[in-house]
Amino acid sequence: MISLKQFKYFIEIVEAGSYSRAAEKLYVAQSALSRQIKELEDELQTPLLVRDARQFELTPAGQLFFERGKRILEDIDDTLLQARHVGKGAQGLIRLQHSSSVILTPRISHALAQTLEEHPGITLDVSMLPSENQTLEIEEGRADIGLLRLPTLRRHPHIHVREIGSERLMVAVPQHSPLAARDNLELADLSEQAFISIPHKDRGGLSYLVANLCLEQGFFPKPARALSRKSSQLNLIEAGLGIAIVPECMRLTAPAGVRFVALAQGRLQTTVGLATRREADPLVRDFADALVEKLASPSSPAP
């Protein structure tokens, strides 16, 4: 019978890169660690690691066991955490993710606070992840709700996405750029500018949307020498390394040296979606439905 200890030992060895470092971290003898891995391989009837005197390599079976085993341990940790919450009278933990371009504006934060007030037994675990990755995390059960920037490219059969709002796109530029003095810009005006954010071939989200808008004007965004799809792109813009087309909400977190210029008379918009599993846990479903309702309310604060 494979034990959780063996799962943990194997994961630690792979992540540490050596038996000796893993043994130090786990506070066990290296010989005990080797014995546990040998017993694990005997139980599986296949080698997981190919070892020599100084290092090891994962076999194909070992790579699979590492990836799946790490997920199993993460699921166990989540289960233990939720059990503790239930034991203290809470109903459960909801894992909410948002992309770096879907910042927690007053509108979103207010809606979250209202929804939590209506669900006193729920605790939120909030983290940041790219839009495209959120759908996979929710599909595979490692997250519950995602606030993402549409479009997403990958289609997962169990994911349901609802639009929860749109906002205009603006051009973020360094304060000393000639563009900062403009009241309005057309996309075509940016064809020679260096863009801090360009799309990844496997990701959707904001950079994908921006690239397609530029292609409609006959050019592809020219990459800057420093690239970022995270909130740090505003700091790179302040340093004069390039520009970016971003949602208007990014003004809330922008450093002093960044200016925002209206784009195409406000006609170009970007949309935020809320993602859950189609057959979500009733606790998650009820919370998500209430949050969508709050975000759709005219009384929600702007932006």
PDB file of all heavy atoms in Angstrom, residues 169-201:
ATOM      1  N   LEU A 169     -10.766  50.738 -23.343  1.00  0.00           N
ATOM      2  CA  LEU A 169      -9.327  50.577 -23.413  1.00  0.00           C
ATOM      3  C   LEU A 169      -8.671  51.947 -23.528  1.00  0.00           C
ATOM      4  O   LEU A 169      -9.199  52.857 -24.173  1.00  0.00           O
ATOM      5  CB  LEU A 169      -8.937  49.726 -24.621  1.00  0.00           C
ATOM      6  CG  LEU A 169      -9.311  48.241 -24.552  1.00  0.00           C
ATOM      7  CD1 LEU A 169      -9.111  47.585 -25.908  1.00  0.00           C
ATOM      8  CD2 LEU A 169      -8.466  47.532 -23.498  1.00  0.00           C
ATOM      9  N   MET A 170      -7.508  52.088 -22.885  1.00  0.00           N
ATOM     10  CA  MET A 170      -6.742  53.328 -22.952  1.00  0.00           C
ATOM     11  C   MET A 170      -5.286  52.992 -23.232  1.00  0.00           C
ATOM     12  O   MET A 170      -4.850  51.845 -23.063  1.00  0.00           O
ATOM     13  CB  MET A 170      -6.868  54.116 -21.646  1.00  0.00           C
ATOM     14  CG  MET A 170      -8.295  54.450 -21.251  1.00  0.00           C
ATOM     15  SD  MET A 170      -8.393  55.642 -19.892  1.00  0.00           S
ATOM     16  CE  MET A 170      -7.979  57.170 -20.755  1.00  0.00           C
ATOM     17  N   VAL A 171      -4.532  54.002 -23.663  1.00  0.00           N
ATOM     18  CA  VAL A 171      -3.111  53.817 -23.929  1.00  0.00           C
ATOM     19  C   VAL A 171      -2.321  54.350 -22.739  1.00  0.00           C
ATOM     20  O   VAL A 171      -2.448  55.524 -22.384  1.00  0.00           O
ATOM     21  CB  VAL A 171      -2.679  54.548 -25.214  1.00  0.00           C
ATOM     22  CG1 VAL A 171      -1.226  54.182 -25.542  1.00  0.00           C
ATOM     23  CG2 VAL A 171      -3.583  54.184 -26.382  1.00  0.00           C
ATOM     24  N   ALA A 172      -1.544  53.484 -22.112  1.00  0.00           N
ATOM     25  CA  ALA A 172      -0.678  53.884 -21.007  1.00  0.00           C
ATOM     26  C   ALA A 172       0.691  54.226 -21.581  1.00  0.00           C
ATOM     27  O   ALA A 172       1.312  53.406 -22.269  1.00  0.00           O
ATOM     28  CB  ALA A 172      -0.563  52.761 -19.981  1.00  0.00           C
ATOM     29  N   VAL A 173       1.169  55.454 -21.315  1.00  0.00           N
ATOM     30  CA  VAL A 173       2.417  55.940 -21.908  1.00  0.00           C
ATOM     31  C   VAL A 173       3.257  56.608 -20.814  1.00  0.00           C
ATOM     32  O   VAL A 173       2.728  57.060 -19.791  1.00  0.00           O
ATOM     33  CB  VAL A 173       2.155  56.945 -23.049  1.00  0.00           C
ATOM     34  CG1 VAL A 173       1.306  56.306 -24.138  1.00  0.00           C
ATOM     35  CG2 VAL A 173       1.486  58.207 -22.525  1.00  0.00           C
ATOM     36  N   PRO A 174       4.582  56.714 -21.019  1.00  0.00           N
ATOM     37  CA  PRO A 174       5.408  57.456 -20.057  1.00  0.00           C
ATOM     38  C   PRO A 174       5.002  58.929 -20.048  1.00  0.00           C
ATOM     39  O   PRO A 174       4.625  59.486 -21.089  1.00  0.00           O
ATOM     40  CB  PRO A 174       6.830  57.280 -20.599  1.00  0.00           C
ATOM     41  CG  PRO A 174       6.762  56.135 -21.553  1.00  0.00           C
ATOM     42  CD  PRO A 174       5.379  56.132 -22.112  1.00  0.00           C
ATOM     43  N   GLN A 175       5.106  59.588 -18.904  1.00  0.00           N
ATOM     44  CA  GLN A 175       4.638  60.968 -18.791  1.00  0.00           C
ATOM     45  C   GLN A 175       5.409  61.933 -19.690  1.00  0.00           C
ATOM     46  O   GLN A 175       4.894  62.990 -20.074  1.00  0.00           O
ATOM     47  CB  GLN A 175       4.725  61.443 -17.339  1.00  0.00           C
ATOM     48  CG  GLN A 175       6.127  61.501 -16.769  1.00  0.00           C
ATOM     49  CD  GLN A 175       6.140  62.056 -15.356  1.00  0.00           C
ATOM     50  OE1 GLN A 175       5.147  62.597 -14.898  1.00  0.00           O
ATOM     51  NE2 GLN A 175       7.266  61.908 -14.657  1.00  0.00           N
ATOM     52  N   HIS A 176       6.648  61.584 -20.059  1.00  0.00           N
ATOM     53  CA  HIS A 176       7.445  62.482 -20.896  1.00  0.00           C
ATOM     54  C   HIS A 176       7.343  62.138 -22.379  1.00  0.00           C
ATOM     55  O   HIS A 176       7.982  62.797 -23.207  1.00  0.00           O
ATOM     56  CB  HIS A 176       8.913  62.437 -20.452  1.00  0.00           C
ATOM     57  CG  HIS A 176       9.123  62.881 -19.032  1.00  0.00           C
ATOM     58  ND1 HIS A 176       8.731  64.119 -18.572  1.00  0.00           N
ATOM     59  CD2 HIS A 176       9.657  62.226 -17.961  1.00  0.00           C
ATOM     60  CE1 HIS A 176       9.026  64.235 -17.283  1.00  0.00           C
ATOM     61  NE2 HIS A 176       9.580  63.094 -16.890  1.00  0.00           N
ATOM     62  N   SER A 177       6.547  61.148 -22.728  1.00  0.00           N
ATOM     63  CA  SER A 177       6.358  60.796 -24.135  1.00  0.00           C
ATOM     64  C   SER A 177       5.515  61.854 -24.841  1.00  0.00           C
ATOM     65  O   SER A 177       4.597  62.432 -24.244  1.00  0.00           O
ATOM     66  CB  SER A 177       5.654  59.437 -24.238  1.00  0.00           C
ATOM     67  OG  SER A 177       5.170  59.215 -25.539  1.00  0.00           O
ATOM     68  N   PRO A 178       5.807  62.157 -26.099  1.00  0.00           N
ATOM     69  CA  PRO A 178       4.950  63.080 -26.861  1.00  0.00           C
ATOM     70  C   PRO A 178       3.490  62.623 -26.887  1.00  0.00           C
ATOM     71  O   PRO A 178       2.584  63.454 -26.985  1.00  0.00           O
ATOM     72  CB  PRO A 178       5.576  63.066 -28.262  1.00  0.00           C
ATOM     73  CG  PRO A 178       6.993  62.652 -28.046  1.00  0.00           C
ATOM     74  CD  PRO A 178       6.975  61.713 -26.888  1.00  0.00           C
ATOM     75  N   LEU A 179       3.264  61.320 -26.765  1.00  0.00           N
ATOM     76  CA  LEU A 179       1.900  60.807 -26.782  1.00  0.00           C
ATOM     77  C   LEU A 179       1.112  61.272 -25.557  1.00  0.00           C
ATOM     78  O   LEU A 179      -0.113  61.365 -25.590  1.00  0.00           O
ATOM     79  CB  LEU A 179       1.899  59.276 -26.823  1.00  0.00           C
ATOM     80  CG  LEU A 179       2.522  58.608 -28.049  1.00  0.00           C
ATOM     81  CD1 LEU A 179       2.498  57.087 -27.896  1.00  0.00           C
ATOM     82  CD2 LEU A 179       1.819  59.033 -29.326  1.00  0.00           C
ATOM     83  N   ALA A 180       1.819  61.553 -24.454  1.00  0.00           N
ATOM     84  CA  ALA A 180       1.141  61.938 -23.209  1.00  0.00           C
ATOM     85  C   ALA A 180       0.410  63.269 -23.346  1.00  0.00           C
ATOM     86  O   ALA A 180      -0.512  63.563 -22.573  1.00  0.00           O
ATOM     87  CB  ALA A 180       2.149  62.000 -22.071  1.00  0.00           C
ATOM     88  N   ALA A 181       0.820  64.082 -24.307  1.00  0.00           N
ATOM     89  CA  ALA A 181       0.186  65.387 -24.492  1.00  0.00           C
ATOM     90  C   ALA A 181      -1.066  65.307 -25.354  1.00  0.00           C
ATOM     91  O   ALA A 181      -1.800  66.307 -25.484  1.00  0.00           O
ATOM     92  CB  ALA A 181       1.185  66.359 -25.112  1.00  0.00           C
ATOM     93  N   ARG A 182      -1.332  64.160 -25.925  1.00  0.00           N
ATOM     94  CA  ARG A 182      -2.485  64.005 -26.818  1.00  0.00           C
ATOM     95  C   ARG A 182      -3.761  63.802 -26.005  1.00  0.00           C
ATOM     96  O   ARG A 182      -3.760  63.187 -24.938  1.00  0.00           O
ATOM     97  CB  ARG A 182      -2.267  62.804 -27.745  1.00  0.00           C
ATOM     98  CG  ARG A 182      -1.041  62.915 -28.656  1.00  0.00           C
ATOM     99  CD  ARG A 182      -1.340  63.717 -29.896  1.00  0.00           C
ATOM    100  NE  ARG A 182      -2.338  63.031 -30.705  1.00  0.00           N
ATOM    101  CZ  ARG A 182      -2.030  62.092 -31.630  1.00  0.00           C
ATOM    102  NH1 ARG A 182      -0.766  61.751 -31.824  1.00  0.00           N
ATOM    103  NH2 ARG A 182      -2.981  61.539 -32.350  1.00  0.00           N
ATOM    104  N   ASP A 183      -4.866  64.321 -26.522  1.00  0.00           N
ATOM    105  CA  ASP A 183      -6.163  64.088 -25.881  1.00  0.00           C
ATOM    106  C   ASP A 183      -6.765  62.764 -26.297  1.00  0.00           C
ATOM    107  O   ASP A 183      -7.574  62.179 -25.571  1.00  0.00           O
ATOM    108  CB  ASP A 183      -7.138  65.219 -26.248  1.00  0.00           C
ATOM    109  CG  ASP A 183      -6.726  66.549 -25.658  1.00  0.00           C
ATOM    110  OD1 ASP A 183      -6.155  66.546 -24.556  1.00  0.00           O
ATOM    111  OD2 ASP A 183      -6.963  67.585 -26.303  1.00  0.00           O
ATOM    112  N   ASN A 184      -6.370  62.302 -27.485  1.00  0.00           N
ATOM    113  CA  ASN A 184      -6.985  61.110 -28.043  1.00  0.00           C
ATOM    114  C   ASN A 184      -6.008  60.477 -29.016  1.00  0.00           C
ATOM    115  O   ASN A 184      -5.240  61.179 -29.679  1.00  0.00           O
ATOM    116  CB  ASN A 184      -8.290  61.486 -28.756  1.00  0.00           C
ATOM    117  CG  ASN A 184      -9.127  60.272 -29.071  1.00  0.00           C
ATOM    118  OD1 ASN A 184      -8.909  59.620 -30.075  1.00  0.00           O
ATOM    119  ND2 ASN A 184     -10.075  59.969 -28.206  1.00  0.00           N
ATOM    120  N   LEU A 185      -6.030  59.153 -29.100  1.00  0.00           N
ATOM    121  CA  LEU A 185      -5.162  58.430 -30.023  1.00  0.00           C
ATOM    122  C   LEU A 185      -5.966  57.409 -30.815  1.00  0.00           C
ATOM    123  O   LEU A 185      -6.912  56.816 -30.280  1.00  0.00           O
ATOM    124  CB  LEU A 185      -4.050  57.701 -29.260  1.00  0.00           C
ATOM    125  CG  LEU A 185      -2.945  58.555 -28.653  1.00  0.00           C
ATOM    126  CD1 LEU A 185      -2.117  57.735 -27.667  1.00  0.00           C
ATOM    127  CD2 LEU A 185      -2.043  59.133 -29.737  1.00  0.00           C
ATOM    128  N   GLU A 186      -5.578  57.210 -32.053  1.00  0.00           N
ATOM    129  CA  GLU A 186      -6.101  56.113 -32.855  1.00  0.00           C
ATOM    130  C   GLU A 186      -5.101  54.966 -32.802  1.00  0.00           C
ATOM    131  O   GLU A 186      -3.896  55.171 -32.592  1.00  0.00           O
ATOM    132  CB  GLU A 186      -6.312  56.562 -34.304  1.00  0.00           C
ATOM    133  CG  GLU A 186      -7.374  57.621 -34.492  1.00  0.00           C
ATOM    134  CD  GLU A 186      -8.780  57.081 -34.301  1.00  0.00           C
ATOM    135  OE1 GLU A 186      -8.958  55.839 -34.388  1.00  0.00           O
ATOM    136  OE2 GLU A 186      -9.689  57.888 -34.069  1.00  0.00           O
ATOM    137  N   LEU A 187      -5.580  53.758 -32.991  1.00  0.00           N
ATOM    138  CA  LEU A 187      -4.676  52.611 -32.996  1.00  0.00           C
ATOM    139  C   LEU A 187      -3.557  52.767 -34.011  1.00  0.00           C
ATOM    140  O   LEU A 187      -2.403  52.418 -33.742  1.00  0.00           O
ATOM    141  CB  LEU A 187      -5.462  51.330 -33.290  1.00  0.00           C
ATOM    142  CG  LEU A 187      -6.079  50.604 -32.102  1.00  0.00           C
ATOM    143  CD1 LEU A 187      -6.910  49.427 -32.583  1.00  0.00           C
ATOM    144  CD2 LEU A 187      -5.010  50.125 -31.144  1.00  0.00           C
ATOM    145  N   ALA A 188      -3.898  53.313 -35.174  1.00  0.00           N
ATOM    146  CA  ALA A 188      -2.894  53.470 -36.227  1.00  0.00           C
ATOM    147  C   ALA A 188      -1.749  54.377 -35.789  1.00  0.00           C
ATOM    148  O   ALA A 188      -0.633  54.270 -36.311  1.00  0.00           O
ATOM    149  CB  ALA A 188      -3.549  54.018 -37.491  1.00  0.00           C
ATOM    150  N   ASP A 189      -1.988  55.268 -34.832  1.00  0.00           N
ATOM    151  CA  ASP A 189      -0.930  56.157 -34.331  1.00  0.00           C
ATOM    152  C   ASP A 189       0.150  55.392 -33.580  1.00  0.00           C
ATOM    153  O   ASP A 189       1.218  55.944 -33.295  1.00  0.00           O
ATOM    154  CB  ASP A 189      -1.520  57.207 -33.377  1.00  0.00           C
ATOM    155  CG  ASP A 189      -2.533  58.113 -34.058  1.00  0.00           C
ATOM    156  OD1 ASP A 189      -2.411  58.314 -35.284  1.00  0.00           O
ATOM    157  OD2 ASP A 189      -3.438  58.609 -33.360  1.00  0.00           O
ATOM    158  N   LEU A 190      -0.113  54.126 -33.224  1.00  0.00           N
ATOM    159  CA  LEU A 190       0.788  53.358 -32.359  1.00  0.00           C
ATOM    160  C   LEU A 190       1.621  52.343 -33.122  1.00  0.00           C
ATOM    161  O   LEU A 190       2.333  51.550 -32.514  1.00  0.00           O
ATOM    162  CB  LEU A 190      -0.023  52.640 -31.278  1.00  0.00           C
ATOM    163  CG  LEU A 190      -0.996  53.497 -30.471  1.00  0.00           C
ATOM    164  CD1 LEU A 190      -1.772  52.635 -29.489  1.00  0.00           C
ATOM    165  CD2 LEU A 190      -0.258  54.616 -29.750  1.00  0.00           C
ATOM    166  N   SER A 191       1.559  52.368 -34.440  1.00  0.00           N
ATOM    167  CA  SER A 191       2.202  51.314 -35.226  1.00  0.00           C
ATOM    168  C   SER A 191       3.721  51.285 -35.063  1.00  0.00           C
ATOM    169  O   SER A 191       4.345  50.237 -35.244  1.00  0.00           O
ATOM    170  CB  SER A 191       1.840  51.458 -36.706  1.00  0.00           C
ATOM    171  OG  SER A 191       2.288  52.710 -37.206  1.00  0.00           O
ATOM    172  N   GLU A 192       4.339  52.401 -34.707  1.00  0.00           N
ATOM    173  CA  GLU A 192       5.796  52.446 -34.541  1.00  0.00           C
ATOM    174  C   GLU A 192       6.221  52.412 -33.079  1.00  0.00           C
ATOM    175  O   GLU A 192       7.402  52.523 -32.772  1.00  0.00           O
ATOM    176  CB  GLU A 192       6.365  53.706 -35.218  1.00  0.00           C
ATOM    177  CG  GLU A 192       6.140  53.766 -36.727  1.00  0.00           C
ATOM    178  CD  GLU A 192       6.718  52.551 -37.442  1.00  0.00           C
ATOM    179  OE1 GLU A 192       7.854  52.143 -37.101  1.00  0.00           O
ATOM    180  OE2 GLU A 192       6.037  51.996 -38.320  1.00  0.00           O
ATOM    181  N   GLN A 193       5.264  52.287 -32.184  1.00  0.00           N
ATOM    182  CA  GLN A 193       5.574  52.272 -30.762  1.00  0.00           C
ATOM    183  C   GLN A 193       5.965  50.866 -30.295  1.00  0.00           C
ATOM    184  O   GLN A 193       5.528  49.863 -30.866  1.00  0.00           O
ATOM    185  CB  GLN A 193       4.365  52.757 -29.943  1.00  0.00           C
ATOM    186  CG  GLN A 193       3.946  54.182 -30.245  1.00  0.00           C
ATOM    187  CD  GLN A 193       5.001  55.186 -29.848  1.00  0.00           C
ATOM    188  OE1 GLN A 193       5.622  55.069 -28.795  1.00  0.00           O
ATOM    189  NE2 GLN A 193       5.220  56.187 -30.707  1.00  0.00           N
ATOM    190  N   ALA A 194       6.794  50.800 -29.250  1.00  0.00           N
ATOM    191  CA  ALA A 194       7.172  49.517 -28.653  1.00  0.00           C
ATOM    192  C   ALA A 194       6.169  49.155 -27.563  1.00  0.00           C
ATOM    193  O   ALA A 194       5.910  49.959 -26.665  1.00  0.00           O
ATOM    194  CB  ALA A 194       8.576  49.615 -28.062  1.00  0.00           C
ATOM    195  N   PHE A 195       5.604  47.960 -27.663  1.00  0.00           N
ATOM    196  CA  PHE A 195       4.580  47.510 -26.727  1.00  0.00           C
ATOM    197  C   PHE A 195       5.213  46.659 -25.632  1.00  0.00           C
ATOM    198  O   PHE A 195       5.941  45.701 -25.906  1.00  0.00           O
ATOM    199  CB  PHE A 195       3.510  46.685 -27.444  1.00  0.00           C
ATOM    200  CG  PHE A 195       2.492  47.504 -28.187  1.00  0.00           C
ATOM    201  CD1 PHE A 195       2.841  48.205 -29.337  1.00  0.00           C
ATOM    202  CD2 PHE A 195       1.185  47.573 -27.736  1.00  0.00           C
ATOM    203  CE1 PHE A 195       1.903  48.959 -30.024  1.00  0.00           C
ATOM    204  CE2 PHE A 195       0.240  48.326 -28.408  1.00  0.00           C
ATOM    205  CZ  PHE A 195       0.594  49.027 -29.559  1.00  0.00           C
ATOM    206  N   ILE A 196       4.902  47.015 -24.386  1.00  0.00           N
ATOM    207  CA  ILE A 196       5.400  46.253 -23.238  1.00  0.00           C
ATOM    208  C   ILE A 196       4.795  44.861 -23.178  1.00  0.00           C
ATOM    209  O   ILE A 196       5.413  43.917 -22.715  1.00  0.00           O
ATOM    210  CB  ILE A 196       5.098  47.013 -21.927  1.00  0.00           C
ATOM    211  CG1 ILE A 196       5.924  48.298 -21.860  1.00  0.00           C
ATOM    212  CG2 ILE A 196       5.347  46.152 -20.698  1.00  0.00           C
ATOM    213  CD1 ILE A 196       7.409  48.075 -21.737  1.00  0.00           C
ATOM    214  N   SER A 197       3.563  44.708 -23.660  1.00  0.00           N
ATOM    215  CA  SER A 197       2.867  43.424 -23.588  1.00  0.00           C
ATOM    216  C   SER A 197       2.462  42.969 -24.979  1.00  0.00           C
ATOM    217  O   SER A 197       1.782  43.700 -25.703  1.00  0.00           O
ATOM    218  CB  SER A 197       1.620  43.543 -22.704  1.00  0.00           C
ATOM    219  OG  SER A 197       0.920  42.323 -22.669  1.00  0.00           O
ATOM    220  N   ILE A 198       2.903  41.776 -25.375  1.00  0.00           N
ATOM    221  CA  ILE A 198       2.468  41.167 -26.624  1.00  0.00           C
ATOM    222  C   ILE A 198       1.929  39.780 -26.305  1.00  0.00           C
ATOM    223  O   ILE A 198       2.263  39.200 -25.271  1.00  0.00           O
ATOM    224  CB  ILE A 198       3.598  41.089 -27.678  1.00  0.00           C
ATOM    225  CG1 ILE A 198       4.769  40.258 -27.140  1.00  0.00           C
ATOM    226  CG2 ILE A 198       4.065  42.477 -28.072  1.00  0.00           C
ATOM    227  CD1 ILE A 198       5.827  39.976 -28.181  1.00  0.00           C
ATOM    228  N   PRO A 199       1.084  39.221 -27.179  1.00  0.00           N
ATOM    229  CA  PRO A 199       0.408  37.964 -26.817  1.00  0.00           C
ATOM    230  C   PRO A 199       1.327  36.763 -26.802  1.00  0.00           C
ATOM    231  O   PRO A 199       2.276  36.672 -27.575  1.00  0.00           O
ATOM    232  CB  PRO A 199      -0.670  37.819 -27.896  1.00  0.00           C
ATOM    233  CG  PRO A 199      -0.135  38.582 -29.055  1.00  0.00           C
ATOM    234  CD  PRO A 199       0.626  39.742 -28.482  1.00  0.00           C
ATOM    235  N   HIS A 200       1.045  35.861 -25.885  1.00  0.00           N
ATOM    236  CA  HIS A 200       1.665  34.542 -25.856  1.00  0.00           C
ATOM    237  C   HIS A 200       0.888  33.656 -26.804  1.00  0.00           C
ATOM    238  O   HIS A 200      -0.338  33.755 -26.907  1.00  0.00           O
ATOM    239  CB  HIS A 200       1.620  33.988 -24.433  1.00  0.00           C
ATOM    240  CG  HIS A 200       2.347  32.697 -24.247  1.00  0.00           C
ATOM    241  ND1 HIS A 200       1.813  31.481 -24.623  1.00  0.00           N
ATOM    242  CD2 HIS A 200       3.567  32.426 -23.721  1.00  0.00           C
ATOM    243  CE1 HIS A 200       2.662  30.528 -24.336  1.00  0.00           C
ATOM    244  NE2 HIS A 200       3.735  31.061 -23.789  1.00  0.00           N
ATOM    245  N   LYS A 201       1.584  32.759 -27.496  1.00  0.00           N
ATOM    246  CA  LYS A 201       0.927  31.953 -28.526  1.00  0.00           C
ATOM    247  C   LYS A 201      -0.175  31.054 -27.975  1.00  0.00           C
ATOM    248  O   LYS A 201      -1.077  30.668 -28.706  1.00  0.00           O
ATOM    249  CB  LYS A 201       1.950  31.100 -29.274  1.00  0.00           C
ATOM    250  CG  LYS A 201       2.650  30.052 -28.417  1.00  0.00           C
ATOM    251  CD  LYS A 201       3.696  29.300 -29.222  1.00  0.00           C
ATOM    252  CE  LYS A 201       4.412  28.253 -28.393  1.00  0.00           C
ATOM    253  NZ  LYS A 201       3.527  27.170 -27.966  1.00  0.00           N
TER     254      LYS A 201
END
